Amino acid sequence: MNDQQHAAADDRSGGNTRTGRVPTPLSNGRPARTAVVLGAGGTVGIAYHAGVAKALADAGVHPADADLVVGTSAGSVMGSIVRSGHDLETVWSMARDNRHPFREDEPAFRPDVIFKQAWRTPMGLARRLVGSGYVLQRSAMRWPPMSPPLSLQRWYRAGMASTSEQRSELVGWTGEDWPERDLWLCTVDIVTGRRMVLGQPGNPRPALPDAVRAASAVPGLYPPVRIGRRMLVDGAAHSSTNVDVAVAAGAERIVVAAPLAFDHDDPPPLHLRAMRELFDRKLERELAAARSAGVDVLVLRPNARQAGVQGLNHMRQDGHSEVAELAYLDTASTLRTEAGREFARNWRQMVREDRQTPPAM
């Protein structure tokens, strides 16, 4: 495959029958009808997703029933957990109580998993700083195009934190294999600057823990993950949600959980809104495109109170209980509105119809 073919595969976004384009099919050969999109947000985002997922399930909108789960960063972690068949009550208890379900007397958000120092000497720190600076530049700006000499690339090491413990943690939750039902994880190739959706038909499917690590490799904090000839980082470098991936798969009804956006009817104070502004603007463009394609979208994003509880440090090791509880309460409240009840009814109907439809041959 040449570079142009690789670029086409990496940027594969398919289309939507409602806009005259052919959807990117699922692994079963059919377009998606229902999708859950789980956005970025660090450890705080994982707690947020746990509360949202429980409230959705309690209302009969089970995330595991969706034809497609799209995950970015924290959403890739939660998406892989949901698709791996874990009881949402277990995930809810983990976030609310910060208690590890598989390790006795250990917290769920362990310091050695979130941030384990990756250097031992001042020289090691210098190498990490240089490498992390390069990754940040390639992830955020991508201009001017930089390709350091091979000798320099071997000298620096990107990422201030080690991810060795992360992989072991993920294996405990998901195992090595991809789930049977579609899970698409969004990453960015720092060499080309293009988005790559792992798990999408035609794109790579490395061991699932490695795919999740790539989709949640926060530039500068964690090292890029090499998948084949690609160097991949957190898909939030492209978008904190990547709603367009679900739209391109043909989804007619989408739940979007966006921890890094904010509720426009109840926005947070300026100092909390500033860090969310770019993520929210991108989400708004994605939502406008989805709705213009006729997609029914239920959007869940933090209001002022939730944003205040989430704070500025989204990679913290504690304080997740209130985040999860507020996400649950506010999502449940949204689903009790007339629009929320209608969305839930239509979702359940669509799921029932899909179960009665034989798979494509």
Side-chain angles (χ1 to χ4, degrees), residues 94 112 115 124 170 266 295 341:
M94 171 203 74
D112 57 333
F115 186 88
L170 288 167
D266 185 15
V295 181
R341 290 196 300 270

Side-chain angles (χ1 to χ4, degrees), residues 37 70-72 186 195 235-236 238-247 286:
V37 174
V70 177
T72 302
C186 298
R195 178 175 63 189
H238 176 85
S239 164
S240 71
T241 46
N242 292 286
V243 177
D244 59 312
V245 171
V247 175
E286 293 172 351

Side-chain angles (χ1 to χ4, degrees), residues 198-213:
L198 300 177
Q200 193 179 60
N203 279 349
R205 277 197 174 195
L208 184 55
D210 295 324
V212 176
R213 285 196 306 123

Side-chain angles (χ1 to χ4, degrees), residues 132-145:
S132 297
Y134 169 72
V135 171
L136 280 169
Q137 187 273 334
R138 294 299 301 161
S139 302
M141 297 174 57
R142 307 188 190 105
W143 186 264

Side-chain angles (χ1 to χ4, degrees), residues 313-352:
N313 180 8
H314 281 245
M315 293 298 297
R316 62 178 185 262
Q317 301 165 12
D318 51 24
H320 300 95
S321 176
E322 193 173 2
V323 173
E325 289 176 354
L326 284 178
Y328 173 80
L329 292 173
D330 289 341
T331 301
S333 178
T334 297
L335 290 166
R336 286 194 296 269
T337 64
E338 182 178 351
R341 290 196 300 270
E342 182 181 5
F343 182 93
R345 283 195 301 270
N346 291 336
W347 175 283
R348 292 192 295 268
Q349 177 63 30
M350 191 166 281
V351 168
R352 285 194 294 270

